[in-house]
């Protein structure tokens, strides 16, 4: 049985400003794709600016985190799976693919009641997510508990870190 793997990353003031711009834009949009309990807004321009700035800002922190797990982030500068803005409906869960980590940034001005669900879906942890922090998850699902949640979802692929002797012999 596994536990949810997550942490909160405080946002810098300039990231919070971009977050507010993205929140304002997403609130005016209609979803471009709908699945049961999950609506996608694609990647509006303000969300793309937020994504680029956020990844530049937290890259050293995420790289250090991965290195401690003997992993590397394959696509930190240019995510292989396109980031998207979503609306997750109450009591629905978004899941993360195995082999990925994700940075999730709230697109709203209120604290969210969420449940973080382990990869095996056997354990979960309830949290209050303050939008002044990004949520960094690894193989952990996000369930909306108090109502719907709008957020920018940035999936990043993990890979085994190269060992020094592999670099020398390559």
């Amino acid at each position: 049985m596994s536990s949810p793997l997550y942490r909160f990353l405080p946002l810098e003031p300039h990231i919070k400003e971009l977050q507010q711009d993205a929140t304002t834009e997403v609130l005016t949009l209609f979803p471009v794709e709908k699945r049961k309990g999950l609506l996608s807004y694609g990647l509006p321009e303000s969300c793309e600016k937020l994504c680029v700035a956020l990844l530049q800002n937290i890259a050293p922190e995420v790289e250090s985190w991965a290195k401690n797990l003997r992993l590397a982030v394959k696509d930190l500068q240019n995510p292989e799976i396109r980031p998207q803005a979503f609306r997750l409906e109450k009591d629905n869960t978004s899941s993360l693919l195995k082999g990925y980590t994700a940075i999730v940034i709230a697109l709203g001005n209120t604290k969210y009641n969420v449940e973080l669900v382990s990869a095996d879906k056997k354990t979960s942890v309830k949290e209050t997510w303050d939008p002044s922090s990004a949520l960094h998850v690894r193989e952990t699902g996000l369930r909306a508990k108090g109502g719907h949640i709008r957020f920018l979802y940035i999936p990043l692929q993990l890979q085994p870190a190269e060992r020094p002797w592999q670099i020398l012999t390559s």
Side-chain angles (χ1 to χ4, degrees):
M1 187 159 54
S2 63
S3 296
L5 303 171
Y6 70 96
R7 64 186 178 148
F8 292 101
L9 301 172
L11 300 175
E12 298 290 329
H14 73 282
I15 300 295
K16 289 180 188 177
E17 290 175 17
L18 293 169
Q19 178 189 29
Q20 189 58 52
D21 293 344
T23 296
T24 301
E25 182 175 10
V26 167
L27 286 172
T28 66
L29 298 175
F30 289 101
V32 294
E33 183 181 340
K34 297 179 184 180
R35 286 179 253 155
K36 184 180 182 302
L38 186 66
L39 294 80
S40 172
Y41 298 97
L43 188 63
E45 185 178 342
S46 60
C47 290
E48 188 169 7
K49 287 179 184 176
L50 172 59
C51 178
V52 169
L54 180 65
L55 288 177
Q56 288 174 350
N57 185 258
I58 65 168
E61 173 66 28
V62 173
E63 287 170 335
S64 175
W65 166 85
K67 188 176 182 180
N68 286 336
L69 297 171
R70 296 190 173 132
L71 296 169
V73 181
K74 180 180 177 182
D75 55 356
L76 191 55
Q77 301 307 318
N78 188 21
E80 191 172 286
I81 297 177
R82 186 172 168 88
Q84 290 188 62
F86 289 104
R87 176 176 155 163
L88 182 63
E89 298 297 317
K90 182 178 179 181
D91 293 326
N92 284 279
T93 305
S94 73
S95 299
L96 185 59
L97 298 171
K98 187 168 179 60
Y100 281 79
T101 190
I103 307 300
V104 188
I105 186 165
L107 298 176
N109 299 315
T110 184
K111 293 180 181 179
Y112 294 113
N113 293 320
V114 298
E115 189 172 356
L116 298 150
V117 182
S118 64
D120 64 8
K121 297 180 176 59
K122 293 182 180 178
T123 59
S124 65
V125 175
K126 292 180 181 174
E127 287 280 1
T128 300
W129 179 20
D130 187 319
S132 65
S133 293
L135 182 57
H136 179 199
V137 296
R138 177 178 178 213
E139 297 178 8
T140 295
L142 177 66
R143 180 177 296 137
K145 294 304 293 178
H148 64 267
I149 303 170
R150 286 182 180 88
F151 57 91
L152 176 60
Y153 190 79
I154 309 167
L156 302 167
Q157 189 173 11
L158 296 171
Q159 63 186 17
E162 290 184 354
R163 295 179 183 95
W165 60 86
Q166 287 177 321
I167 297 169
L168 295 174
T169 60
S170 299

